[in-house]
Each structure stands twice: as C-alpha cells, then as structure tokens.
Amino acid sequence: MIIQKKSNTIVWKDIFTCVELPAPLKRAEELAYNLWWTWNPAATNLFERMDPDLWFETDGNPVKLLRSLSLNRIDALLRDAAWMQNLDEVYMAWQAYMSAPTDSSRPSVAYFSMEYGLSHVLKIYSGGLGVLAGDYLKEASDSNVPLTAVGFLYRYGYFDQRISVDGQQLATYEAQDFNLLPIQAVTDEGGHPLVFEVPFSDRTVYCHVWRVQVGRISLYLMDTDLEKNNLSDRQITHNLYGGNWENRMKQEYLLGIGGILLLQHLGISKEIYHMNEGHAALISAQRLADYVEQKGLPFDVALEVVRSSSLYTVHTPVPAGHDYFDEELLGRYMGHFPHRLGISWQEFIDMGRTTPGSSEKFSMSVFALNTCQEANGVSYLHGVVSRSMFAPVWPGFFAEELHVGHVTNGVHLPTWASPESQAFYKKHLGTDYVSRQADESTWAAIEHIPSDEIWQLRSQLKENLLHYITHDYRKRWLRANDGSANLPEGLDCIGLNTLLIGFARRFATYKRAHLLFTDLDRLSRLVNHPDRPVRFLFAGKAHPADGGGQGLIKHITEISRRPEFEGKIIFLENYDMHLASKLIAGVDVWLNTPTRPLEASGTSGEKAEMNGVLNFSVLDGWWYEGYRPNAGWALTDKTTYRDQQMQDRLDAHTIYDMLEREIIPLYYDKEGKSYSEGWIHHIRNSMMYIAPHFTMRRMMDDYYDHFYKPLSQRQQAVSASSYAMASEIVEWKKQTAAHWDEMQILRVNASGFELRTTNTDVIQSLEVEIDRGGLTAGLKVELIVASDDNQGGLTLAQSIPLELVEQSADSRWQKYHVDCRLKNPGIHRVAIRVTPHSALLPHQMDFAYVRWAAL
Ligand SMILES: *Cc1c(COP(=O)(O)O)cnc(C)c1O
C-alpha cells in the first residue's frame, strides 16, 4: 500500500437549529421585542449578563442573543437564582409600565418619518433627523400619548463605515436579517405575514409590514423587498437616502400614500397628521382623495379639513436641501391623483410650486405648506430662517409675518443620560425626576451636591468611554478590519486627567469639522503641551454621495496620523447611536462648529448636557437658546465676513483663543485638588439651567401646546355638523376670490408723510376710500412701514391698522382712517396694504390675497 487514505466527496446537509427557549425565559423574549429595553439600563444589563461575550458578538441585540444562546448557557441561567430574580423584577417593572392607560385627554397623532433612530441595532436612521424621531416615539410612550408612527424597514439600512489606510471612507451595506431584529411581522387573518398592497398608477407594489413596539407606542414599517415585486420596486426600501430621484419619488409615494392606506387597513385613525420633514408630504394627497372619494366632499372642502388637522415640521434651513421633482417624474406617479381629487393637473402641480403657473419643479415642502395649516422649524433661530426661506410662497407678506413657528428639538433623557447619570439624578433629584424633568425646579438640588460627587460621576463616565475605546471599540475594529495593522495609535494613551474634547456628527461640509485644523502649529502646541495637554476624538459618517464630506474625513484622518498628532487626535470609525452614547457622556467638552445659520437645531450637544458634559459651540441652532455664561462656551452669532473662507479663518482663530485662554486654564485650575472647582461650577450651572429645557419631554409638551391641541380644536370645529364650517370657509374664499379684482382703491389722502422734519408734534394722517364692488369680505387696511434689512431686502418696521370710519348703506363704499406717528427716524418706505379678513381663518397666510396701493 502506497497511498493509505481514501475518502469520497462530502455532501453536507444544512440544518438550522433554533433553540426553543424554556418557559421561564420566554419573559426575556417578550422583553427583547419591546424597545423599552433601549432606555432602561436594568433591562439592557439583564441581557448583557445572560452571556457577556455573546452580547458583544451579537452587537447588543437581544433578539439575536436569545437566538444564539447555547443549551448549556440556558441551563446555567435557569439555575442562576440571582439572574432569574432580576428577570422577574425587570419583567414586572415593564408590565407595570405597559399597563398604564393611555392619556386620551390629549389629541391623537399619526407621525410619519423616513427614518427613526431607536437603537443602533435597528439601522433605519442616518443622523439627527432619525434620532429625533426615535426619541420622540420613546417620549410619546413615557408621556403615554395616543401616537402611532409609520416608516420604512430598510434591507440595507444605512451603511457601516470603515476608513482605509489612506483615509478614504469605505461604505459597506450589509443586508439585515429581519428575523433577528426586535421587530415583528404584522400578519393577516390566516396568521401569515401580511402582504399589503399599495396601488401605484400602473401597478401594485406589495409590502410586508413590521411592527416595532417602542414601549407603549407602535411604529409600523413598510418593506417592499418581496419576490412578488419587480426588481426595481423591491429596491424601494433597500437604502435610506439611496438610489436616484425616481427611487426617492417612489419612497415618498409609498410613505405618504401607502402610509395612510396602511393605517386605514390596520383600523387606526388619528386626529392630527404630522409630517416629520417634507418627505412625508404626500400623506395629504391620500387624505384628500379619501375625503373626496369616501366622504363625498368637494375638493375645496376636503382641503379645509385636511389642512385643519395637519402639521409640517421642516428640518432644512436652505432651499437646496428640499426635495424637488420634475413634472414628468411626478406625473408618472401622481398623474392619476388630480382626476380622483376632481381638480386639474395644473392645479395639482401648482400646489407644489412657490409661484403657481411657473415652470418650477414640484416641491414637497411647498406642497406640505399648502396642505398643512401649521408648519414649524426646529429651534427659535431656525424658525426665523424658515420664515425667510418660505417667504416667497406668500408674496405680499414679510417673512416675520408668516405663521411658520418653531419647537426647539430636545432629547429623550432616559436614552441619553448614561446609567450612571440616571442613578445620580435619582439619588439627588428624587426617584420620580423623570416625570418632572422639564421643570427647572427639579434640577435646583444640583446646587447643593458636593463637588466631589459631581467629579466622581464625570470621572466614571470618562473611564467608561476610555474603557469602551480600548476594549469594545478595539475588538470591533479588529473584527471589521480583518486584523490588518492599521489600528489608530494611542487609543490607550488618553489619561483620565487629560482634557478630552469630542466632535462627532454627520460629516456634512457645513458642520465645518475642519475648522480646528486651520492652524496646525497652534493645534500641535495645544495637544503637546507638557502640563495641560488636550485630546480630541472625532467621529462621523459622510453620505456616500457627498464628496466634500468624505474629503473632510480624509483630511482629518491624515492629519491625525502625523507624528505630532498620533494618539492625540483620534478618528473613531462607524459613528452610530452606540458610539454616540459613549462619546456624549464620556468627553469633557462637546465641540460644534457649524456655519451659521445652517444647524437647524443639532441635538448631540443636548445629549451631552444630560451627562454634565460642557458645550463649546457656535451660537446656532439649539445653543443659541441654550447657552448661558459660566455653563459652557459660545462663539458669537455675529457674522463678520460675507466671505465664508474669511469667516472660517476668524472662527478658527477664536476657537484656539478660547481654548487657550479660557477652557484649558479652567479645566486644569485644580489648586491642589483632583479637579477644578471652576469647572464643576460650569457643570452645575449647565445641569441646572440648560438641561431641563432641552429634554424630549419639553419638546413633546411644546408640540401639544403650540400645535396638536389647537389643531385638534380647529379640526373638530371645521368638521362638526357635516363639515359645515369647512363649507362656509370655502364659500367665503370663493366669493372673495371671485370679486377681489372688482375692489378698487378710489382715493388715498395722506398728509405728513412728505415731511423730513424731526418735530415730534407732527402727526401723519391717512385716509383711504375703497369701492368693494361685489366683494363681501371684511377688509384689513394697513399702513405698512418697511426699512432696509441691510441685505438688499426689506423688513417690516411697523404695521398700522386703519379704522373703518364711514361707509355707504350697502357698505360697498368704505372709508378708512388713521392718525399715527412713525416710531423711528430714518429712511422709511411706506405703502398701503389691503387684505381680506375673516374670523373663520386660522391665520392670514391661509388665504393670502393682497392688494397694495401707493400713498
Ligand atoms: C444625536 C445623533 C446625531 C445628531 O447629532 P447632531 O449634533 O445634531 O448633528 C447624529 N448621529 C447620531 C448617531 C446621533 O446619535
């Protein structure tokens, strides 16, 4: 025998074993399928303790963890009395939470968003917009309000990020196995996964529907990745913000039209319909069609009803950030709608145009504005910016007169306050502090907490971050990078007593991540200072189509690899909610340097606030409202240069200055102690006076007070008695529109306006005679005083109403009068503005007819 071996080819049979959890562990499974665990540290901790290594391997996804437990491990858990008891406690706490009745005194809301950031394991978010929506659902649950949400389940989610040796961002999209996510398929009567049909103009698109339980709130996600669909329809929900314009059109059609039909199919109807960004604007189209086709309302009446119950939240501060669709593309998807609505195609597409009748593309935002009674930006400043941005939609009015309001974004406290911070607040603010989080008085007790204890908390959180980086992050990094030799140096060289500054967010160019790198010598002196060194952690993804953002990442990683910066400026890969939660709690200072006024709100700095991390930021977005002296640092909100590069250089200079002169000295001013008393003073102030105002509880209450409650009343009034008021409004609008052009301004008599004197006795007097023709609407006649806004436009200085002083018996002829005094000296531009007025209208923009006359 020479060859002493023999084997035939192996034929493997693949079998899949799935461990059926024993009854006592079923409770853990129930817990896993409700995202309540994401904001309850005791629950997360319970899962982690089931098998810490497996918890790491399964990326902190309890559903995956439970599926992967070995029989041995299960046996061990069943015999682990302490763990079993803990399971009971957590389960009971959850049951108690779930059993509270819904607060039905508050109006019910249907909420639509393209993305939701609920947990890093559910990759259906890309950044701040999504995290905000996720936090909103969690707070809706905690506040126990009747809210239901709709979105998409993306097969490939948002991408995972790695950075190549030469600083390139590598984006990988991994298909998600939906069976391993904390979501459940919605089933039909037969118990099979529901195949929901969404009618497109020439075909049906089929969806699976998944329910995510967020505490007491249900989020329904549509997913078109079904074999029944053609290839291109399967891809509708493959990627978040991926694909071409046609795919975006399909997504927005599906979210809007499909979303409304889905809620109907599930038997869910709500009072208020809330669009989180213009992506969801087409919900109005479907709701209009329903009122017309099912309730038999004329289009105009339907429009009144839909508007009275709709809110549009804009998150984008520049026109270029909105979605526009060209007529041909829009026609292919929405072409059949005008017929259903009983209007013409021209009328339909004009609802999405700033200037009706023009050849503009169809803007989802303008369509949203025209079909929602209310609209809002996401911070005070963004409200101002939004009014300017949308001013062209209502010619004849000044930006500052528009009804577009604001609600400043907030963050969900139990999600973003680290477990240690939560324990700290429980101890010092009372065990029920969560329910009182939005009251400043709740936080007053911080004043008396000994500095030692505050410093202990801060040190613990920093240690957690450093531990995370040197252990979990390193392991993850090695796993993702196949052990190649490129791990950032110095991960373990950051000392607990070194000032640590964090900067992490989407790498959009307006966020100016490069600002810090404007003067490398100066930066090198900062990080290499012998006694008072500073360390920087950076993280963030750039959208794969954003070359500029990717360039920034490359630039920063290249610099961070130079010898003088190695280990001192570190770029951490794959920024997601998990990494965010470590960073925003563990650094000392959270840095943000957006170009004013492009940061609509920003929320990561608010998350930092919840953990005693101090903000150093441009006075933009939320920080414009949040900043207090001695509670963090601000770069002024004044724009000095029109030229952005000059402004960037000036801002960079200011950042270095403030670091060198204020922030670093304060941090290291320890006077023999282990910490700086001055630093703790800043932390105290920021916890007491800033944190309470930027919680998601405050934000949700604001939405209710400013929008949902008034809309609910309005919606009821408009719909009562078979939509009587809606019909009345429509009649009024029709009459006014039909006779508006008959109205004539017969005579204007003005005195005192020609003078250039400063004599304070001079009174301006104005008389206007009007022939209303067939118009029956009441008129509002104003003297408008405008002044130069220094940017080539005008602002409203004063609007002075004229009084009706005389009229003919049939009130067709009317005389208006006012005596007034212009408030400020200087150059004024004055004109007369006549608008129709009715107490039935919620605000003037609702029917924006304007007639100007010269003095
Ligand atoms: C909070 C958060 C954001 C938003 O941060 P901004 O500072 O508002 O840009 C983005 N990404 C992740 C992962 C977050 O957790």
Side-chain angles (χ1 to χ4, degrees):
M1 291 278 274
I2 297 175
I3 295 173
Q4 300 187 0
K5 54 189 177 185
K6 184 169 193 171
S7 167
N8 67 334
T9 316
I10 311 174
V11 180
W12 295 105
K13 175 181 166 63
D14 293 334
I15 60 164
F16 179 67
T17 53
C18 180
V19 177
E20 167 83 9
L21 290 174
L25 289 189
K26 288 275 194 222
R27 292 179 153 199
E29 193 164 34
E30 272 184 73
L31 284 168
Y33 279 102
N34 189 316
L35 294 185
W36 180 81
W37 59 261
T38 61
W39 72 95
N40 285 275
T44 318
N45 185 257
L46 183 78
F47 290 125
E48 182 171 1
R49 277 165 45 222
M50 289 180 95
D51 188 334
D53 290 336
L54 197 57
W55 180 246
F56 176 81
E57 284 308 317
T58 55
D59 289 321
N61 173 352
V63 171
K64 216 166 165 179
L65 173 88
L66 292 172
R67 292 261 191 288
S68 323
L69 283 176
S70 68
L71 287 171
N72 281 347
R73 196 64 214 136
I74 289 174
D75 279 345
L77 284 169
L78 291 174
R79 278 181 275 108
D80 183 342
W83 186 86
M84 288 300 293
Q85 191 192 335
N86 197 211
L87 171 61
D88 268 355
E89 287 159 4
V90 172
Y91 187 82
M92 300 307 267
W94 175 60
Q95 287 282 293
Y97 177 87
M98 294 299 289
S99 64
T102 305
D103 181 357
S104 50
S105 69
R106 295 177 109 179
S108 59
V109 180
Y111 187 81
F112 297 79
S113 179
M114 282 275 262
E115 47 171 319
Y116 293 90
L118 290 155
S119 156
H120 66 281
V121 303
L122 201 52
K123 295 178 189 177
I124 56 172
Y125 69 94
S126 76
L129 176 74
V131 175
L132 185 83
D135 274 12
Y136 200 58
L137 301 192
K138 292 173 184 175
E139 185 55 51
S141 173
D142 286 349
S143 291
N144 212 354
V145 297
L147 182 143
T148 300
V150 179
F152 291 143
L153 181 60
Y154 299 98
R155 176 60 74 185
Y156 296 96
Y158 203 55
F159 67 92
D160 285 324
Q161 177 200 51
R162 288 200 296 123
I163 307 295
S164 74
V165 189
D166 56 350
Q168 302 284 352
Q169 169 175 285
L170 307 173
T172 48
Y173 291 90
E174 205 179 316
Q176 303 194 77
D177 182 345
F178 296 159
N179 294 311
L180 295 178
L181 295 178
I183 60 177
Q184 279 166 319
V186 172
T187 50
D188 59 19
E189 301 84 35
H192 305 293
L194 173 68
V195 177
F196 181 64
E197 303 185 359
V198 181
F200 276 51
S201 60
D202 58 348
R203 63 185 185 283
T204 299
V205 171
Y206 303 93
C207 308
H208 278 153
V209 180
W210 305 82
R211 199 181 73 223
V212 187
Q213 213 44 56
V214 186
R216 304 158 175 137
I217 300 295
S218 294
L219 161 63
Y220 292 97
L221 301 177
M222 290 177 275
D223 139 40
T224 61
D225 196 8
L226 275 67
E227 275 177 24
K228 247 181 131 162
N229 284 325
N230 69 40
L231 203 60
S232 94
D233 288 344
R234 287 187 71 161
Q235 292 170 355
I236 297 176
T237 58
H238 272 188
N239 299 105
L240 180 53
Y241 306 133
N244 55 15
W245 277 108
E246 174 144 16
N247 198 58
R248 180 64 77 86
M249 179 76 232
K250 289 184 189 177
Q251 286 186 330
E252 300 193 9
Y253 185 96
L254 188 70
L255 183 61
I257 312 296
I260 293 293
L261 292 173
L262 174 63
L263 289 184
Q264 277 170 15
H265 178 88
L266 297 169
I268 297 168
S269 94
K270 301 285 178 185
E271 286 176 90
I272 314 292
Y273 288 77
H274 187 168
M275 310 166 182
N276 188 42
E277 192 57 306
H279 310 133
L282 292 179
I283 62 173
S284 288
Q286 183 59 40
R287 293 186 65 218
L288 284 166
D290 291 341
Y291 279 110
V292 170
E293 291 171 344
Q294 289 168 23
K295 300 249 168 86
L297 297 188
F299 172 79
D300 294 336
V301 177
L303 184 58
E304 294 300 330
V305 179
V306 167
R307 284 168 65 139
S308 73
S309 50
S310 301
L311 171 64
Y312 159 45
T313 298
V314 57
H315 293 262
T316 320
V318 287
H322 296 250
D323 286 347
Y324 302 90
F325 295 97
D326 67 40
E327 181 161 359
E328 186 274 328
L329 179 58
L330 183 77
R332 259 188 286 143
Y333 289 85
M334 295 302 294
H336 58 305
F337 260 78
H339 176 71
R340 295 176 60 189
L341 298 173
I343 61 176
S344 68
W345 172 249
Q346 186 65 37
E347 285 170 315
F348 181 81
I349 193 167
D350 275 351
M351 287 206 287
R353 282 175 169 152
T354 299
T355 308
S358 68
S359 57
E360 288 166 31
K361 289 185 176 184
F362 182 90
S363 155
M364 285 294 169
S365 311
V366 175
F367 184 75
L369 289 170
N370 281 323
T371 59
C372 294
Q373 178 181 311
E374 304 297 336
N376 73 287
V378 291
S379 68
Y380 165 80
L381 214 53
H382 182 237
V384 175
V385 169
S386 301
R387 284 189 285 280
S388 295
M389 178 173 67
F390 289 140
V393 177
W394 294 280
F397 294 96
F398 292 86
E400 51 271 47
E401 294 180 288
L402 301 192
H403 63 296
V404 178
H406 80 274
V407 170
T408 305
N409 284 345
V411 295
H412 185 241
L413 180 62
T415 296
W416 296 106
S418 64
E420 289 82 0
S421 302
Q422 293 189 46
F424 176 88
Y425 294 142
K426 261 199 190 113
K427 175 173 169 200
H428 296 287
L429 312 183
T431 46
D432 63 338
Y433 79 98
V434 171
S435 63
R436 298 180 287 114
Q437 59 181 282
D439 302 334
E440 216 177 83
S441 62
T442 303
W443 301 72
I446 305 259
E447 177 92 64
H448 307 293
I449 303 176
S451 302
D452 284 2
E453 268 193 70
I454 295 181
W455 190 247
Q456 259 171 35
L457 171 68
R458 290 296 324 137
S459 304
Q460 181 64 55
L461 296 179
K462 196 168 182 177
E463 203 178 313
N464 291 353
L465 169 64
L466 299 181
H467 180 88
Y468 172 79
I469 293 174
T470 48
H471 291 79
D472 289 22
Y473 177 80
R474 177 189 290 272
K475 262 202 273 179
R476 245 182 219 119
W477 194 94
L478 291 171
R479 190 175 68 184
N481 291 275
D482 304 330
S484 73
N486 192 33
L487 185 68
E489 287 283 331
L491 281 182
D492 30 24
C493 303
I494 302 173
L496 204 51
N497 292 312
T498 306
L499 176 59
L500 186 58
I501 300 183
F503 181 106
R505 47 188 49 86
R506 279 184 310 114
F507 264 58
T509 41
Y510 80 83
K511 303 221 183 207
R512 296 195 299 181
H514 59 287
L515 220 50
L516 195 66
F517 301 91
T518 320
D519 184 343
L520 293 182
D521 290 338
R522 210 162 165 189
L523 184 60
S524 168
R525 285 199 293 277
L526 285 181
V527 299
N528 291 305
H529 193 286
D531 323 312
R532 306 187 313 191
V534 187
R535 296 286 175 266
F536 291 93
L537 293 177
F538 278 81
K541 296 175 179 176
H543 190 280
D546 177 7
Q550 291 175 60
L552 285 185
I553 291 178
K554 186 168 158 59
H555 184 59
I556 292 175
T557 48
E558 276 170 359
I559 290 173
S560 73
R561 284 173 191 159
R562 295 187 187 185
E564 68 269 36
F565 296 119
E566 185 115 52
K568 293 159 191 162
I569 294 173
I570 296 171
F571 189 95
L572 298 170
E573 289 178 359
N574 207 28
Y575 186 52
D576 66 358
M577 287 179 73
H578 190 58
L579 180 54
S581 72
K582 301 291 176 197
L583 284 172
I584 53 96
V587 299
D588 296 298
V589 173
W590 193 250
L591 178 68
N592 193 14
T593 54
T595 304
R596 289 174 291 261
L598 298 184
E599 185 82 311
S601 166
T603 51
S604 60
E606 301 177 342
K607 300 169 188 167
E609 285 293 331
M610 306 300 153
N611 295 289
V613 171
L614 300 175
N615 273 281
F616 176 25
S617 168
V618 169
L619 274 184
D620 195 14
W622 80 277
W623 192 233
Y624 183 81
E625 294 155 66
Y627 168 72
R628 302 276 133 114
N630 300 316
W633 297 271
L635 266 82
T636 147
D637 57 328
K638 299 280 176 295
T639 306
T640 311
Y641 294 110
R642 288 263 172 96
D643 177 63
Q644 191 56 46
Q645 278 191 0
M646 300 276 279
Q647 184 68 40
D648 283 1
R649 236 171 286 151
L650 174 70
D651 286 348
H653 186 78
T654 316
I655 291 175
Y656 294 126
D657 259 6
M658 291 181 70
L659 283 172
E660 288 162 359
R661 292 193 194 154
E662 296 183 42
I663 300 173
I664 299 172
L666 187 71
Y667 181 84
Y668 284 108
D669 180 21
K670 298 188 178 175
E671 293 177 2
K673 287 200 206 138
S674 57
Y675 54 83
S676 149
E677 213 34 271
W679 196 265
I680 303 282
H681 181 62
H682 270 248
I683 295 178
R684 264 205 199 93
N685 285 341
S686 107
M687 280 181 172
M688 283 165 48
Y689 303 118
I690 303 178
H693 303 294
F694 298 96
T695 66
M696 189 49 89
R697 171 67 53 91
R698 191 273 306 144
M699 170 175 147
M700 174 144 284
D701 289 346
D702 278 355
Y703 271 104
Y704 266 95
D705 292 343
H706 302 321
F707 295 112
Y708 296 163
K709 281 184 203 160
L711 276 172
S712 158
Q713 283 165 8
R714 174 85 188 160
Q715 172 269 132
Q716 284 170 25
V718 163
S719 308
S721 316
S722 313
Y723 309 103
M725 184 171 158
S727 306
E728 201 183 335
I729 295 170
V730 168
E731 279 317 305
W732 181 89
K733 286 182 177 174
K734 273 192 186 147
Q735 211 284 339
T736 306
H739 298 281
W740 184 249
D741 290 342
E742 295 165 21
M743 190 248 302
Q744 287 181 52
I745 296 170
L746 300 173
R747 197 174 64 85
V748 173
N749 204 353
S751 70
F753 289 93
E754 61 289 334
L755 291 174
R756 257 171 252 111
T757 171
T758 52
N759 185 341
T760 51
D761 291 338
V762 174
I763 284 182
Q764 285 86 28
S765 176
L766 181 63
E767 210 163 75
V768 178
E769 282 177 43
I770 293 176
D771 175 357
R772 294 199 297 167
L775 192 68
T776 57
L779 296 178
K780 185 169 165 188
V781 183
E782 297 161 284
L783 170 65
I784 298 292
V785 186
S787 51
D788 197 350
D789 70 356
N790 297 323
Q791 287 165 32
L794 291 174
T795 61
L796 180 67
Q798 259 181 295
S799 100
I800 303 166
L802 278 70
E803 233 178 289
L804 176 62
V805 289
E806 221 183 309
Q807 57 182 336
S808 59
D810 62 358
S811 71
R812 175 171 166 165
W813 175 87
Q814 294 183 326
K815 184 157 106 184
Y816 292 82
H817 176 87
V818 73
D819 287 330
C820 61
R821 187 175 281 157
L822 299 188
K823 273 198 294 200
N824 300 313
I827 301 170
H828 298 296
R829 312 191 82 179
V830 289
I832 297 160
R833 185 171 72 183
V834 182
T835 50
H837 176 73
S838 164
L840 291 173
L841 304 186
H843 40 67
Q844 214 162 2
M845 295 330 117
D846 194 71
F847 190 72
Y849 273 52
V850 185
R851 177 79 63 81
W852 289 93
L855 258 71

